[in-house]
Amino acid sequence: MSSFVFNRLRTLASHLMTQDVEIIITANSHRTQDRNRQDARDRLADFIRQATIQQKCRRPTKPSRSAKTKHADQKKQRGAIKKNRGRVSKSDY
């Protein structure tokens, strides 16, 4: 097992690992011991399969200048609409 997969497995299954870096998976959803063992093996295989998948690096992005000005204009318009709201007078009924 490569160090990348091991480190990724350590982050994915850290709640199941002991101090000696052993993964403990309990399975008791089935009636028989054989099916429970197979279930535990399947779950371990799923953890290892997930650990082999390399995540994409997140590229930090920020809004463009035009997007910022558009957002500010929309906020101003919305604020103006709310500011012009008033109480309904009895003559409007």
Side-chain angles (χ1 to χ4, degrees), residues 36-81:
N36 284 328
R37 282 185 179 167
Q38 188 60 42
D39 182 40
R41 285 187 193 112
D42 292 342
R43 288 183 10 216
L44 177 63
D46 286 340
F47 272 123
I48 294 171
R49 200 173 300 116
Q50 286 177 358
T52 57
I53 298 170
Q54 191 169 6
Q55 289 183 324
K56 291 182 181 179
C57 291
R58 183 188 175 280
R59 219 180 239 176
T61 59
K62 58 182 180 178
S64 64
R65 184 179 295 156
S66 63
K68 286 181 184 177
T69 56
K70 191 176 181 182
H71 182 68
D73 291 341
Q74 288 175 347
K75 284 176 73 77
K76 285 178 188 174
Q77 285 177 350
R78 192 75 186 142
I81 290 170

